Every structure is written in structure tokens, then in C-alpha cells.
Amino acid sequence: MRIERLFNILLYLLNHQKVTAAQLSEVFQVSKRTIYRDIDTLSSSGVPLFTVLGVNGGIQLMENYRLNRFTFSEAEKNILIQSLNTQHTLIETDKATELVYKINLLQEGEQTSAFQVNFTEATLHRGSIERDVQNKLSAIQTAMSVGEKIQINYIAGDGTTTKRIVQPLELLLKDGSWYLSAYCELRKSQRLFKLTRIRSFEHLPLKNDYLSKDDLMVETPNLTTIELQFEKNQLGKLYDYFLEKEMSLCDTCINVRFKYDSRKNILPFLLMFGSNVKVIAPIALKNSYQDEVKKMNES
DNA sequence: TGTGCTAATCCCAGGAGACA
DNA sequence: TGTCTCCTGGGATTAGCACA
């Protein structure tokens, strides 16, 4: 009870320039004598309090203590609000909404900074699918916050369904889709799971076998040099994916040379360009790309 | 300089909870 | 059940400051 009052007196002092002992005794429903004892306790605990005698006197905190420890500058508040708004736009959470509300209350005077970064259709999903994804995001965040594992039914790209127990590590918004980076007990390694392909999941009871990030093996990418040739009219689109130094322009085409993790399937990316791309190297990729195109023609 | 206001301090006492 | 500790409150007094 007393500890709680001490803390509340400190908060009260932080929110008021100067208060009298009588005022504090009225607010906290204790005698002035008790308030003086509390002030003495706070002071001996290192809180820089000082009192002013006489008319207009009272108890107040050192200004530096107020500014350095317990307040944010307007610029810092704006950064916090922008960050929270960003998270709230991408992943709807009640907590983020509540925090934005509270920090807005802290802003002095009229708010001048409108939210300057907007996420309109951040993913490629249809609205109804996006709502389903938001529910999964929220459930996974809950699991991560309490250190729970989850059991998922996952449909791989080739259509095979597997039941897996995973330890969620991180949520990623990548190429217009949400992914869960998690340690998979079935594969005994870290894997990426696309949220739209997680068809069902359930929380598992807490155990003591939760691995820290440091305990997990980070897989090193197996980089291969890939050479592609694009039609010149694809230049604008190419800036979405490649660095200027990776592209070289000739009279009729654009050559692109870049490093890519060979364990990842690049064919869907290449097919996005239709007939406007040719695979130059490596030969294995060139052959698989041609096989894929042949299959599409046959179907 | 006197008055009023407020902080600060001292002394005493009572209530509640822990403990032997 | 008695003792101890902690917390609290009340009253009296002192001291500093502002103001008429």
C-alpha cells in the first residue's frame, strides 16, 4: 500500500510543476505528516526532490530528473507513434491502438504531424484472405510473446500436407506475403512458412525445451551466380528487383548478373517476365526453365 | 515589521500484522 | 497472548517567504 502510494506520489510530481503537502494529503487521503514521511523516503531513495518554503511554496522534482527519465521529446513521441501506426497497419493489435492513444495524450498542444507513411494493400492477398492472415499473425504473436510452440498443418508448394511442431521465431513481410520464420522439429532446422499455406494451427502447452535464437543454427546461403537477359522494355520493372550495378544495358537488351541462393526456387520469379527473359547461366537453371515453359505449353 | 501561508520537525498515540 | 515493528495521524511548534 505504501509502496504504491510512493510510486503514485512520484507520478503525481512528474505531472505537476509544484504541489503542496496539503494537496498531496488530499489526493492520497492521508495526513500531511504521512506525506512528509513519504517525501523523506523518496528523497532518501535518491529521488531529487526539493521543497520551497513560504507562500507559493511546495514540493517539486528537479527539472533534469523530470526531463531525462520520464518524458519523450516531441520528435521522439512522433517516431513512437509512427512506428506503432506502422505496426498497427500491418498487424492489427489492440495493444498498439491503446499505446498510440496514450502517446497521443502525451503530445503537447495541437498535433502537427500527420501519419506520413501509409501501407495501402501491403500484401498481394484478397481482402477476405488478408483477414484470415491477420488472425494467424495475431495468434502467432501471442505464441511468441509467451514462448509457446504451435502445431501446424502446412501445405507445401507441391501440395503435400505435413503436420509440424514449430517454435516461432519471427514474422516477415516478404514479397507481398507474410511468412513465419520458425524452428521446425520435423526438419530439425529453421524454416520459412507462408501464412496462407498454414491451414490450421493450435497452441501447445509450455515446456522447458524452448530454444533461444542463439541456440539455433543459422543456415548460410548457397550463392550461385545467375545471368539473365531481358527485353529493353522491362527496364522499369527490373529496378524493382536489381541494383543498377547488376544491370548492363546494350542496344537491344538488358543483361543482369546477380547472386542467388540456389536452394530457393527462382522459376516462379522468372516466369513472371513471360517471354521477355532468357536464362543465360547457369545451364542447369536454363534447362529447368525451358522444361517449365514446355510443360506450360503442353497443358 | 506584523501577518498570513506553508514547509518542516518533534512528540505522542493508536491500529494492524507478524512472530515467538 | 504478549511483544515488536511498521505505518499512520494529530497537535504543537518553529522557520522561511511574500506582501501590505
Side-chain angles (χ1 to χ4, degrees):
Chain A
M1 188 66 184
R2 186 168 186 235
I3 295 293
E4 189 181 340
R5 192 180 61 242
L6 287 170
F7 184 69
N8 286 331
I9 288 174
L10 184 55
L11 287 179
Y12 195 89
L13 288 168
L14 283 164
N15 286 316
H16 296 78
Q17 287 296 313
K18 190 193 292 172
V19 288
T20 64
Q23 197 178 340
L24 287 173
S25 70
E26 176 71 24
V27 170
F28 296 102
Q29 292 293 298
V30 289
S31 68
K32 285 199 288 182
R33 180 70 191 90
T34 300
I35 292 296
Y36 283 127
R37 271 192 283 255
D38 289 345
I39 294 299
D40 190 44
T41 305
L42 286 172
S43 188
S44 56
S45 302
V47 178
L49 287 157
F50 69 95
T51 55
V52 179
L53 293 174
V55 179
N56 298 322
I59 305 156
Q60 60 189 103
L61 285 166
M62 296 286 286
E63 194 62 20
N64 286 347
Y65 186 74
R66 188 189 305 277
L67 290 173
N68 292 346
R69 302 287 181 87
F70 287 95
T71 61
F72 297 105
S73 68
E74 288 305 296
E76 286 168 337
K77 285 177 203 167
N78 279 332
I79 290 169
L80 275 172
I81 290 170
Q82 301 271 349
S83 304
L84 286 165
N85 273 328
T86 301
Q87 183 186 339
H88 184 57
T89 309
L90 293 173
I91 310 172
E92 284 186 38
T93 60
D94 293 341
K95 282 292 167 204
T97 314
E98 196 179 314
L99 266 175
V100 169
Y101 173 72
K102 284 180 180 173
I103 292 175
N104 273 326
L105 288 180
L106 290 175
Q107 284 197 302
E108 289 161 6
E110 198 176 335
Q111 265 186 260
T112 52
S113 62
F115 186 39
Q116 292 152 344
V117 182
N118 288 298
F119 289 81
T120 307
E121 298 177 10
T123 68
L124 301 173
H125 308 141
R126 286 166 48 207
S128 53
I129 294 171
E130 186 61 28
R131 278 190 290 281
D132 179 54
V133 169
Q134 289 287 341
N135 289 336
K136 288 174 187 165
L137 284 170
S138 181
I140 291 167
Q141 274 197 316
T142 304
M144 283 195 285
S145 64
V146 295
E148 272 183 348
K149 291 181 181 179
I150 53 175
Q151 182 169 286
I152 59 172
N153 274 324
Y154 189 71
I155 300 180
D158 60 5
T160 53
T161 303
T162 47
K163 185 175 276 189
R164 305 186 190 211
I165 293 173
V166 301
Q167 175 183 322
L169 298 172
E170 159 173 58
L171 287 161
L172 309 165
L173 180 59
K174 185 169 171 287
D175 300 334
S177 291
W178 279 103
Y179 291 83
L180 166 64
S181 171
Y183 179 78
C184 175
E185 293 192 352
L186 181 70
R187 304 289 183 229
K188 302 276 184 240
S189 65
Q190 197 171 327
R191 287 284 190 272
L192 271 185
F193 300 97
K194 200 169 189 176
L195 260 59
T196 48
R197 294 184 190 167
I198 297 176
R199 300 320 302 161
S200 67
F201 64 87
E202 60 180 289
H203 295 260
L204 296 178
L206 286 171
K207 288 183 183 173
N208 289 329
D209 58 345
Y210 204 85
L211 301 169
S212 73
K213 267 189 174 179
D214 295 338
D215 296 331
L216 298 169
M217 292 284 288
V218 178
E219 294 183 7
T220 48
N222 186 11
L223 296 177
T224 305
T225 301
I226 292 178
E227 287 180 49
L228 305 173
Q229 192 173 78
F230 291 89
E231 294 290 323
K232 211 168 182 181
N233 60 9
Q234 297 296 298
L235 181 62
K237 209 190 280 186
L238 294 183
Y239 276 107
D240 291 344
Y241 305 101
F242 302 107
L243 300 171
E244 193 138 24
K245 64 181 181 186
E246 292 171 329
M247 297 188 276
S248 59
L249 273 72
C250 62
D251 289 343
T252 55
C253 63
I254 305 155
N255 293 306
V256 176
R257 186 184 165 89
F258 63 103
K259 300 271 188 192
Y260 194 80
D261 188 351
S262 62
R263 295 168 308 165
K264 295 180 182 172
N265 185 7
I266 197 176
L267 290 178
F269 170 75
L270 297 177
L271 291 168
M272 200 169 67
F273 292 92
S275 58
N276 295 312
V277 60
K278 281 182 193 165
V279 179
I280 308 299
I283 298 300
L285 176 63
K286 184 175 182 175
N287 292 338
S288 8
Y289 180 66
Q290 285 174 348
D291 288 346
E292 197 66 27
V293 172
K294 203 179 290 178
K295 278 187 211 166
M296 289 171 69
N297 284 334
E298 287 167 0
S299 60

